């Protein structure tokens, strides 16, 4: 019984030594490159664009007769004006 306890203690000591050695040798992988240049944007324009979109009363309903299609068209027509770069790169897909 005494030998079993000594063997168990030796196993625990070896395990702890391995953990400590591996921890000391650990070197993390290099992280992704962080660019020094900061993106600049016009915060006021972002807010105004969002305000214009929120003003469109695009409320969907299970009953299509209760929806105002003109408001949805108004929102769609605002997109090229507010986001011309996105509009020229992306395709509008209407879902049925």
């Amino acid at each position: 019984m005494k030998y079993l306890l000594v063997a168990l203690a030796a196993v625990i000591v070896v395990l702890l030594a391995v953990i400590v050695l591996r921890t000391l040798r650990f070197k993390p992988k290099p992280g992704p490159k962080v660019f020094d240049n900061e993106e600049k944007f016009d915060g006021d324009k972002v807010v105004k664009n969002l305000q214009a979109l929120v003003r469109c009363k695009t409320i969907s309903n299970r009953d299509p007769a209760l929806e105002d299609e003109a408001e949805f068209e108004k929102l769609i027509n605002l997109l090229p004006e507010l986001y011309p770069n996105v509009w020229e790169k992306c395709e509008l897909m209407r879902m049925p």
Side-chain angles (χ1 to χ4, degrees), residues 42-54:
D42 184 359
D44 291 335
K45 183 178 180 194
V46 171
V47 170
K48 287 179 185 177
N49 289 352
L50 183 59
Q51 287 172 339
L53 293 174
V54 171

Side-chain angles (χ1 to χ4, degrees), residues 2 15 27 35 45:
K2 184 177 180 181
L15 179 64
K27 291 184 180 153
F35 298 104
K45 183 178 180 194

Side-chain angles (χ1 to χ4, degrees), residues 43-82:
D44 291 335
K45 183 178 180 194
V46 171
V47 170
K48 287 179 185 177
N49 289 352
L50 183 59
Q51 287 172 339
L53 293 174
V54 171
R55 283 188 192 107
C56 298
K57 297 178 181 113
T58 54
I59 301 168
S60 48
N61 195 306
R62 289 183 186 200
D63 182 6
L66 298 175
E67 294 177 0
D68 188 358
E69 285 296 320
E71 288 295 320
F72 284 95
E73 289 301 318
K74 179 180 163 185
L75 181 125
I76 291 169
N77 293 331
L78 273 174
L79 293 175
E81 177 187 326
L82 300 177

Side-chain angles (χ1 to χ4, degrees), residues 5-6 21 24 28 41 53-54 85:
L5 289 175
V6 171
L21 286 175
L24 292 174
F41 65 94
L53 293 174
V54 171
N85 293 338

